[in-house]
């Protein structure tokens, strides 16, 4: 029986005094039944032993729906003068916001580490003033030229002594102590290789890594994140170009008037090349530009080699073109990874979003692809939902874009977009929205494309997962992972049904 409750407890329960006083606890709060608290209260009442818990979860009805909350609390037996236990005193403090904030920070850090491990670029995190290697992906391990057991969980320059005294220790110390990022391109480093110690050239980015847990102070630097791309072949090619240019300039001084005219034209070309190089050395001030710039250099120097020395390269021209294609694909991967990361950690700005208007914007952006394929898109009446218009636009653009892309060979894409409502009790088995609601909007994107085997359903929403070869259909394997994150951000769920050769239906559930 609840005999006394202060205003803080009433506010936490979301009840008035009249709704709880002089009523059994689990009659006043029926949703709390079956969560383990009856047993705890009975145990304290029976044994007289105090019970203390931190961050214990409890589901309560708030805002007309069942919500997950967290509390710190103490159950203290209440004694009469004759030492009889006649009740239990409860002291509780709601810590929901603190717990959710910590969980969000932990999720953000897990996502960052996952992005590092799956990145196509060499990436790692050094922790503490000794630069202990805490996280490193396979590309970085290969780049170092040492077994993972030699470097992981060890100070960097203990696990890789060859890199000591090459200036990188001072660079790491500076970034760690000041928080200032460092980036450079085409710088040399001596690293172990099967044939021995070898000088290679890299594009390098050092960024201060700040702890997600800010209990020790906001923005505390706990390490350094490193990104490295080997550009040895490109640097050597550039050096060869510069050497050739110097030889041409020396030769031009010995030629006659006719050759001098040609030399002047060559000098103009050299000046254009120098101006181009000057432009290429300008780095952007945000991380995404720093990551993209080295790839753009790979493609542009490849063009210079192809245009000036193409006939001399022979079979090497094929390798050069493959190198440029790989750089273009890596650039697309980086852009998609950054989009995925931003959506993962970004809190959506909540407003009423008319999905019909968002879809019209998406179809306008896809207008060229729709015209090229002759795609037919039938749109029903779509609801207005609460969420972030930009993220919902990315969701629809990826789903409609996939419906266009994964079309039967030689067929015209047929796409239908419709919406309805479904009660929470009628959700399909396995569909678990991230936010509880009594009912959900159900948005369906139906196509007549190549389809897929439903045994791969869980796989298609994971980063870098593809069911078709890159030669069949383009893409990076991140689009549906972005869709899944957008839907999760909006408290919903996404699933699909399909059979090979019989099209696919993607269903998005968003809370009413």
């Amino acid at each position: 029986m609840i005999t006394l409750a202060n205003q803080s407890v009433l506010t936490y329960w979301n009840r008035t005094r009249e709704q709880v006083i002089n009523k059994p606890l689990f009659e006043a709060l029926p949703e709390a039944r079956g969560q383990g608290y009856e047993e705890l209260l009975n145990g304290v009442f029976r044994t007289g032993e105090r019970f203390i818990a931190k961050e214990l979860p409890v589901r309560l009805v708030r805002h007309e729906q069942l919500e997950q909350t967290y509390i710190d609390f103490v159950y203290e037996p209440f004694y009469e003068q004759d030492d009889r236990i006649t009740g239990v005193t409860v002291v509780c403090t709601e810590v929901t916001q603190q717990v959710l904030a910590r969980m969000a920070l932990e999720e953000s850090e897990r996502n960052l580490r996952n992005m590092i491990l799956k990145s196509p670029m060499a990436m790692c995190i050094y922790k503490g003033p000794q630069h202990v290697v805490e996280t490193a992906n396979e590309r970085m391990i290969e780049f170092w030229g040492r077994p993972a057991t030699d470097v992981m969980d060890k100070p960097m320059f203990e696990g890789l002594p060859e890199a000591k005294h090459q200036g990188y220790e001072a660079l790491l110390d500076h970034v760690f102590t000041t928080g200032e990022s460092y980036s450079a391109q085409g710088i040399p480093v001596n690293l172990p290789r099967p044939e021995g110690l070898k000088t290679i050239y890299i594009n390098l980015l050092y960024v201060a890594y700040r702890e997600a847990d800010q209990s020790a102070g906001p923005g505390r630097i706990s390490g350094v994140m490193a990104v490295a791309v080997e550009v040895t072949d490109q640097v050597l090619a550039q050096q060869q170009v510069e050497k050739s240019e110097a030889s041409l300039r020396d030769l031009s001084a010995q030629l006659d008037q006719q050759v001098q005219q040609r030399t002047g034209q060559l000098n103009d070309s050299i000046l254009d090349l120098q101006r181009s190089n000057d432009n290429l050395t300008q780095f952007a001030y945000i991380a995404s530009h720093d990551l993209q710039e080295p790839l753009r250099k790979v493609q542009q120097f490849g063009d210079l080699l192809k245009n000036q020395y193409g006939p001399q390269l022979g079979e090497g021209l094929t390798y050069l073109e493959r190198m440029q294609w790989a750089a273009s694909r890596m650039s697309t991967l980086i852009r998609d990874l950054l989009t995925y990361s931003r959506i993962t950690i970004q809190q959506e700005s909540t407003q009423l979003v008319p999905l019909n208007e968002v879809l019209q914007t998406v179809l306008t952006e896809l207008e060229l692809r729709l015209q090229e394929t002759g795609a037919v898109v039938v749109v029903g009446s779509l609801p207005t939902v609460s969420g972030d218009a930009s993220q919902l636009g990315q969701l629809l653009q990826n789903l409609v874009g996939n419906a266009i892309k994964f079309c039967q060979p030689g067929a015209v894409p047929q796409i239908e977009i419709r919406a309805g409502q479904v009660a929470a009790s009628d959700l399909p088995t396995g569909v678990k929205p991230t936010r509880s609601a009594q009912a959900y909007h159900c948005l369906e994107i139906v196509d007549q494309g190549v389809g897929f085997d439903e045994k791969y359903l869980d796989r298609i929403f994971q980063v870098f997962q593809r069911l078709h070869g890159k030669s069949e259909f383009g893409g990076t394997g991140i689009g549906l992972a972005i869709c899944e994150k957008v839907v999760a951000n909006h408290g919903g769920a996404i699933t699909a049904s399909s059979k090979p050769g019989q099209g696919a239906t993607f269903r998005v559930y968003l809370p009413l």
Side-chain angles (χ1 to χ4, degrees):
M1 187 74 69
I2 302 172
T3 59
L4 182 64
N6 64 15
Q7 187 57 46
S8 296
V9 172
L10 293 174
T11 300
Y12 171 64
W13 284 343
N14 195 29
R15 301 292 197 279
T16 64
R17 191 176 304 277
E18 292 73 16
Q19 289 175 312
V20 299
I21 297 301
N22 297 324
K23 292 184 178 179
L25 173 61
F26 297 102
E27 178 182 323
L29 298 173
E31 67 270 28
R33 189 181 300 277
Q35 297 185 45
Y37 295 95
E38 294 168 284
E39 293 79 0
L40 293 177
L41 284 168
N42 291 335
V44 175
F45 187 84
R46 185 178 64 256
T47 66
E49 296 181 1
R50 172 191 295 175
F51 181 83
I52 301 174
K54 296 286 187 181
E55 298 184 356
L56 208 63
V58 56
R59 293 184 299 280
L60 293 176
V61 173
R62 290 176 161 186
H63 309 106
E64 300 182 357
Q65 65 180 7
L66 197 62
E67 291 186 1
Q68 182 74 60
T69 68
Y70 297 86
I71 55 173
D72 294 343
F73 70 90
V74 178
Y75 284 169
E76 185 82 41
F78 184 83
Y79 291 92
E80 296 290 347
Q81 291 183 350
D82 57 1
D83 290 336
R84 287 183 303 110
I85 299 175
T86 60
V88 177
T89 300
V90 180
V91 180
C92 68
T93 302
E94 183 179 6
V95 292
T96 303
Q97 294 303 317
Q98 298 93 306
V99 171
L100 293 180
R102 190 190 72 245
M103 292 169 64
L105 290 171
E106 291 172 350
E107 174 69 12
S108 174
E109 186 165 299
R110 282 194 298 271
N111 287 330
L112 173 61
R113 295 180 188 279
N114 187 53
M115 187 185 78
I116 289 174
L117 293 176
K118 294 184 177 180
S119 172
M121 308 178 70
M123 299 181 71
C124 70
I125 294 178
Y126 304 115
K127 296 303 287 289
Q130 299 300 316
H131 313 306
V132 175
V133 180
E134 183 189 67
T135 302
N137 62 12
E138 292 183 6
R139 296 295 299 273
M140 185 61 86
I141 298 296
E142 294 173 359
F143 174 75
W144 285 332
R146 289 276 190 181
T149 53
D150 286 1
V151 292
M152 295 303 300
D153 301 319
K154 295 180 181 179
M156 171 61 182
F157 300 100
E158 176 183 318
L160 192 65
E162 296 87 351
K164 197 174 182 66
H165 307 306
Q166 295 188 46
Y168 294 94
E169 191 170 12
L171 291 176
L172 282 169
D173 288 341
H174 180 77
V175 175
F176 181 79
T177 55
T178 68
E180 298 176 0
S181 298
Y182 172 82
S183 64
Q185 61 173 22
I187 57 175
V189 58
N190 297 321
L191 291 174
R193 292 293 182 263
E195 64 272 21
L197 201 62
K198 182 179 179 181
T199 299
I200 65 173
Y201 295 87
I202 59 173
N203 293 333
L204 180 66
L205 174 66
Y206 284 156
V207 179
Y209 180 84
R210 301 178 186 274
E211 283 289 356
D213 180 6
Q214 300 189 13
S215 59
R220 184 174 69 91
I221 298 173
S222 63
V224 176
M225 184 172 71
V227 182
V229 178
E230 183 176 355
V231 292
T232 304
D233 292 342
Q234 297 92 306
V235 170
L236 294 178
Q238 180 182 1
Q239 291 174 352
Q240 185 61 42
V241 169
E242 293 171 350
K243 183 178 179 181
S244 298
E245 291 171 353
S247 298
L248 288 172
R249 286 193 296 269
D250 291 340
L251 181 61
S252 67
Q254 305 172 20
L255 298 177
D256 57 20
Q257 187 65 33
Q258 183 179 2
V259 176
Q260 288 177 9
Q261 183 179 0
R262 176 60 184 146
T263 302
Q265 296 173 352
L266 180 60
N267 285 334
D268 290 341
S269 298
I270 292 172
L271 291 175
D272 289 339
L273 178 60
Q274 291 173 337
R275 283 193 294 270
S276 176
N277 287 342
D278 289 340
N279 291 333
L280 289 174
T281 58
Q282 299 301 315
F283 279 87
Y285 296 100
I286 58 177
S288 61
H289 289 181
D290 286 335
L291 292 173
Q292 294 282 14
E293 183 65 18
L295 299 176
R296 286 193 288 271
K297 283 188 174 293
V298 171
Q299 294 172 306
Q300 291 177 357
F301 278 122
D303 287 337
L304 289 174
L305 288 173
K306 186 188 299 183
N307 293 336
Q308 295 189 22
Y309 303 101
Q312 304 173 33
L313 292 176
E315 185 179 350
L317 184 61
T318 300
Y319 299 137
L320 183 61
E321 291 172 344
R322 291 175 63 185
M323 177 185 73
Q324 290 182 288
W325 179 88
S328 176
R329 172 166 171 76
M330 185 176 290
S331 178
T332 302
L333 277 170
I334 292 171
R335 284 197 305 271
D336 286 354
L337 276 171
L338 290 170
T339 299
Y340 178 78
S341 176
R342 282 194 295 268
I343 289 178
T344 298
I345 65 176
Q346 177 180 339
Q347 293 291 332
E348 73 273 10
S349 58
T350 301
Q351 57 186 344
L352 291 178
V353 181
L355 290 184
N356 274 109
E357 294 181 9
V358 173
L359 181 59
Q360 286 306 313
T361 301
V362 168
L363 294 178
T364 299
E365 293 174 354
L366 295 173
E367 184 174 7
L368 181 59
R369 291 177 61 187
L370 292 170
Q371 292 176 350
E372 290 175 344
T373 59
V376 177
V377 182
V378 179
V379 181
S381 178
L382 304 185
T384 294
V385 301
S386 178
D388 181 275
S390 175
Q391 289 194 22
L392 291 170
Q394 287 180 305
L395 167 69
L396 291 173
Q397 184 161 358
N398 278 323
L399 292 177
V400 175
N402 276 359
I404 297 172
K405 177 170 63 175
F406 293 103
C407 178
Q408 297 278 9
V412 174
Q414 303 287 329
I415 305 165
E416 182 181 358
I417 302 170
R418 61 199 181 207
Q421 294 185 5
V422 58
S425 58
D426 295 331
L427 287 173
T429 303
V431 173
K432 298 180 180 179
T434 58
R435 187 185 307 154
S436 296
Q438 294 181 348
Y440 295 84
H441 296 291
C442 178
L443 183 66
E444 293 185 333
I445 294 85
V446 184
D447 65 56
Q448 305 299 321
V450 296
F452 62 88
D453 192 323
E454 288 189 7
K455 69 181 181 181
Y456 300 116
L457 181 59
D458 292 336
R459 175 179 167 186
I460 64 174
F461 294 107
Q462 298 176 11
V463 178
F464 298 126
Q465 295 299 312
R466 299 171 53 92
L467 302 185
H468 305 278
K470 291 189 285 292
S471 60
E472 294 180 83
F473 300 100
T476 60
I478 299 178
L480 287 179
I482 291 175
C483 291
E484 193 275 335
K485 283 298 179 184
V486 170
V487 174
N489 283 353
H490 287 74
I494 184 171
T495 187
S497 59
S498 179
K499 290 183 179 179
Q502 299 183 26
T505 298
F506 283 82
R507 295 181 178 85
V508 175
Y509 297 91
L510 297 174
L512 277 172

